[in-house]
Amino acid sequence: MQNAKNEVQTHQLKVEKLIQKSPAEVFQAIGEGRLFLNCGASSEALKIDFKVGGLYALEFRAFDITNRGEFLEIVPNKKVVFTWCQNTKLNPTPDTVVTVDLKEQGSQTLLTLTHSGFTDQERLSDHTGGWNAGLDDLTTEMVQGQLKFNRLFKMPVQKLYDLCKNPATFLGLLGDLKKGSVDFKLGGAFKIPNETHEICGTFTEITPQQKIVFTWETDCHGKPLSGSKVTLSFETEEDDQSWLELLHEGLPTASLQMSHREGWDWLLNRMGK
């Protein structure tokens, strides 16, 4: 009697998110790679060819991992399907499938993300948390104009805090510090010119080794930006490592969000080096 072949059991996850934007706007954001970026991919290293058969490549620098895949199906404003690597270190081969469905609900969009093909329940759980967090951050970016970055640095929190309060290793990286000024104290102001405009703001909260908050008073073209602020939060990790969360609020347009994302991503990568 011939034995039946053993089949590998696979699992899938499903995440839903209601976004206060039209399906066309959400579809465009996915095509620009903003779902990947809000899951922690670096904008510097993002490569995306958004077409059927097109490839993408990602680097998650906070975790020192990469991912890549191919777009299998694209239905404008309705559906996007792409492959994904479930094991990004030992076997970085696209071997699972992600399907994103978009359904109009009044003035909103119901986004349903289904990720199928997992052979390991633990990886499925990890990806469930990752996709949930990524969709939450995509939603707050699109609806509230908020960017969030989380980076792990291989240094104690005191050293990381010192790097961020030091103009030469933080704000000064964004412009010409010799022609500008940074007064790091509560109520202190900073003005740093770069090639196109002057970055300026005021420090509104300083808690050593915990939090730094400052206003962000000009956009990427030097025009006044009202109600925008940046919050740096510090958290100790084991083995003399530390987490930095950078939260930038008050960026009302997609173009401002993308340009500031590129700028902060560049700065955080330089700090890591």
Side-chain angles (χ1 to χ4, degrees):
M1 180 178 178
Q2 188 175 4
N3 293 329
K5 293 183 178 179
N6 293 326
E7 294 184 0
V8 177
Q9 184 178 4
T10 60
H11 312 271
Q12 75 172 26
L13 64 86
K14 181 177 288 187
V15 178
E16 291 187 339
K17 191 71 179 177
L18 191 61
I19 303 175
Q20 296 175 1
K21 293 289 183 178
S22 69
E25 291 173 295
V26 179
F27 177 81
Q28 180 178 344
I30 294 172
E32 293 169 344
R34 293 169 71 182
L35 174 58
F36 297 145
L37 295 175
N38 278 282
C39 288
S42 170
S43 58
E44 274 194 312
L46 175 67
K47 296 178 181 178
I48 180 169
D49 185 11
F50 191 62
K51 66 181 182 182
V52 175
L55 305 178
Y56 70 85
L58 314 173
E59 291 184 18
F60 297 93
R61 292 180 175 176
F63 302 99
D64 192 27
I65 60 177
T66 60
N67 209 324
R68 57 192 174 89
E70 177 185 353
F71 292 100
L72 303 179
E73 183 179 356
I74 297 175
V75 181
N77 307 333
K78 292 184 178 181
K79 190 175 187 179
V80 179
V81 183
F82 53 90
T83 58
W84 184 271
C85 307
Q86 72 176 297
N87 189 331
T88 54
K89 289 195 175 182
L90 297 179
N91 183 27
T93 301
D95 56 1
T96 57
V97 176
V98 178
T99 300
V100 181
D101 290 300
L102 307 175
K103 291 185 179 180
E104 184 177 2
Q105 290 199 350
S107 60
Q108 304 180 96
T109 299
L110 177 62
L111 184 153
T112 302
L113 184 150
T114 305
H115 194 161
S116 59
F118 288 100
T119 56
D120 187 317
Q121 185 67 41
E122 182 178 355
R123 285 200 177 87
L124 181 146
S125 298
D126 290 341
H127 279 78
T128 301
W131 287 124
N132 267 305
L135 287 173
D136 284 345
D137 289 347
L138 174 66
T139 300
T140 55
E141 177 183 326
M142 295 187 68
V143 177
Q144 301 175 22
Q146 172 181 296
L147 301 179
K148 182 188 291 185
F149 301 83
N150 284 286
R151 292 295 172 86
L152 182 65
F153 288 85
K154 297 179 181 179
M155 63 183 72
V157 71
Q158 175 67 62
K159 184 176 180 181
L160 179 58
Y161 174 80
D162 289 343
L163 281 177
C164 291
K165 77 175 187 179
N166 184 343
T169 51
F170 189 67
L171 285 174
L173 295 176
L174 296 175
D176 190 346
L177 189 58
K178 293 180 180 179
K179 296 180 180 179
S181 62
V182 178
D183 186 12
F184 185 75
K185 67 180 182 182
L186 191 61
F190 61 88
K191 294 182 179 181
I192 305 173
N194 58 29
E195 294 180 354
T196 60
H197 64 284
E198 182 178 72
I199 300 168
C200 60
T202 302
F203 294 99
T204 59
E205 183 178 349
I206 297 175
T207 305
Q209 301 182 44
Q210 295 182 35
K211 185 180 289 186
I212 300 172
V213 184
F214 50 90
T215 60
W216 192 264
E217 299 173 7
T218 52
D219 66 15
C220 296
H221 307 289
K223 297 180 180 179
L225 191 60
S226 176
S228 183
K229 69 175 182 178
V230 178
T231 301
L232 306 179
S233 300
F234 304 85
E235 184 176 341
T236 297
E237 183 61 78
E238 60 184 8
D239 299 327
D240 282 334
Q241 300 183 100
S242 306
W243 281 100
L244 172 64
E245 179 186 271
L246 188 154
L247 185 68
H248 193 162
E249 302 170 81
L251 300 171
T253 68
S255 61
L256 281 177
Q257 293 156 17
M258 286 296 288
S259 59
H260 281 82
R261 177 178 291 281
E262 291 172 0
W264 288 124
D265 195 28
W266 179 90
L267 183 147
L268 293 172
N269 289 336
R270 294 303 174 276
M271 282 182 59
K273 294 179 180 179

